[in-house]
DNA sequence: ACCTGAACACCGTTCAAGT
DNA sequence: ACCTGAACACCGTTCAAGT
């Protein structure tokens, strides 16, 4: 009935107790459940039932764990169609990237930061988006600018969605608390929207704005 | 010649040694110089030549220091014209907000996160942007969507600019390091841009895309 | 009211010691 | 090669004690 005490030394197994995937899986669970602040080497080790220092034999440091986590999440991005109407492919890419980010709200900050730091994994997932804007007939600089604008928009959106999950009408309450004369337009506009909610959601509208803006920009650049 | 030793007790002055603004100013210096990771109560106290615990008499905790910092930065946003062509006002707002964020690269993450968490200060600065899109004649839902898309874009852009300051052609090198068959479009597009750099910078293009997209969306919604 | 200093419960990481 | 455990240099914050 005595709890077995772990002893140092190489484990007598053909397979080691600890593996990189097992560590990352436990870390992702921890972050999903308790937030990025709860991810510490000691807590993670506790969850794996192992000495904190054992982890360092598989991942060099905590930063490597976090970027490993982000890489794992990138690898779950849903596939995007490689043919069909280009605008539909842009929409599909935006949805897939957003879903990836929002699947792990506690990791959004790291996902977004890594995406803008342009790690290999982050660069790779952008290819279908470039291909879609390229298929639209945009000139190379326009492809880069349109894809960048869309990525930045989704990054900003994901950050907002994760930081301030919407319940009821928090924006309305917040606006009511501020001095009316400082934000007349915001109050009026928000009141109008509250009376008659928009038929298209905020995310889709942002994507549509960028799709139409990119085509307009390209048309204008080539002389209309 | 002996360095004077600090003694506990209320200081015999008409003005206290420590004030909230003095603490925030020292904290901002610390963050600007050494990064957000260098901001600790002990280091900050050292810089103020004070016991770490003294700070807690002016700010309740470290989180309050960080949000105080963000608030200070918001308060430095350059004014945006309240009349003139609406698109020009949108451009001016975007530049002012971007400049605010990039003025303190080590604080960008906090600025952006706070902006999406919609603190009072973050809401207040958006009023001129709403006013500009309202002046453009957009319907209320379109105003909200266009302003949101622009804010999210600039947030994403600022994050990218701070996380990966561009030197030389890092994107080109990164693309060269990846398997060519995985990113054919990105390679081709980037090579074309490298040969003939775009005349308009990435940030301005993003803003322009959103301005044009918003007007196109509004025109389409009203039946044309 | 405002400042100090010891103490508590944590961190990430290095290093030597086990098998 | 892989796991352990003590140790080092940090954290944020509470609490009692000074004036």
């Amino acid at each position: 009935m005595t709890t077995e005490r772990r002893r140092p030394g190489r484990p007598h197994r053909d397979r080691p107790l600890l593996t990189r995937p097992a560590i990352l899986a436990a870390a992702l669970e921890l972050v999903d459940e308790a937030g990025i602040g709860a991810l510490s080497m000691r807590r993670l080790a506790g969850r794996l039932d192992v000495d904190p220092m054992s982890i360092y034999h598989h991942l060099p440091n905590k930063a490597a764990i976090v970027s490993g986590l982000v890489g794992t999440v990138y690898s779950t991005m849903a596939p995007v169609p490689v043919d069909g109407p280009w605008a539909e492919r842009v929409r599909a890419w935006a949805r897939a990237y957003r879903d990836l980010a929002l699947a792990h709200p506690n990791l959004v900050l790291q996902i977004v930061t890594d995406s803008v730091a342009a790690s290999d994994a982050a660069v790779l997932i952008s290819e279908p988006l470039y291909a879609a804007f390229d298929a639209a007939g945009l000139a190379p600089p326009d492809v880069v600018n349109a894809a960048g604008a869309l990525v930045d928009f989704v990054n900003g959106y994901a950050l907002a969605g994760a930081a301030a999950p919407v319940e009821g009408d928090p924006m309305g309450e917040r606006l009511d608390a501020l001095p009316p004369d400082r934000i007349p337009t915001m109050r009026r506009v928000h009141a109008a929207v509250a009376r008659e909610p928009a038929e298209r959601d905020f995310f889709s509208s942002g994507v549509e704005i960028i799709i139409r803006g990119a085509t307009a920009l390209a048309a204008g650049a080539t002389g209309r």
Side-chain angles (χ1 to χ4, degrees), chain A residues 14 25 49-50 53 61 71 75-76 84 87 91-92 102 108 133 145 156 170 174 181 184 189 193 199 208 211 214 216:
Chain A
D14 21 29
D49 197 30
V50 117
M53 293 317 301
N61 51 40
S75 72
T76 66
R91 290 184 195 103
L102 296 189
V108 160
F133 278 122
N145 291 335
R174 181 172 296 279
D181 55 315
V189 166
V193 173
E199 69 285 0
E208 227 52 45
I211 288 175

Side-chain angles (χ1 to χ4, degrees), chain A residues 34-141:
Chain A
I36 192 77
L39 179 63
S40 79
M41 302 304 274
R42 286 166 161 93
R43 278 229 228 182
L44 180 55
R47 192 173 267 250
L48 289 160
D49 197 30
V50 117
D51 183 277
M53 293 317 301
S54 301
I55 298 169
Y56 285 87
H57 288 279
H58 303 269
L59 274 331
N61 51 40
K62 191 183 175 180
I65 296 181
V66 173
S67 69
L69 246 33
V70 173
T72 326
V73 173
Y74 275 129
S75 72
T76 66
M77 178 153 163
V80 172
V82 293
D83 45 38
W86 70 268
E88 199 49 51
R89 286 154 62 190
V90 170
R91 290 184 195 103
W93 189 93
R95 276 194 305 270
Y97 181 57
R98 173 201 59 178
D99 290 346
L100 169 162
L102 296 189
H104 301 278
N106 295 339
L107 204 60
V108 160
L109 218 62
Q110 285 70 31
I111 292 170
V112 163
T113 306
D114 193 74
S115 121
V116 301
S119 73
D120 284 1
V123 170
L124 282 173
I125 64 170
S126 302
E127 169 67 16
L129 180 62
Y130 275 69
F133 278 122
D134 183 57
L138 299 195

Side-chain angles (χ1 to χ4, degrees), chain A residues 12 22 27-28 31 35-37 51 65 68 103 110 112 127 140-141 144 154 171 174 183-184 194 198 211 222 224:
Chain A
H12 297 174
L28 192 55
V31 170
I36 192 77
D51 183 277
I65 296 181
Q110 285 70 31
V112 163
E127 169 67 16
V144 172
V154 182
M171 191 50 146
R174 181 172 296 279
I183 49 164
I211 288 175
T222 56
R224 173 67 179 77

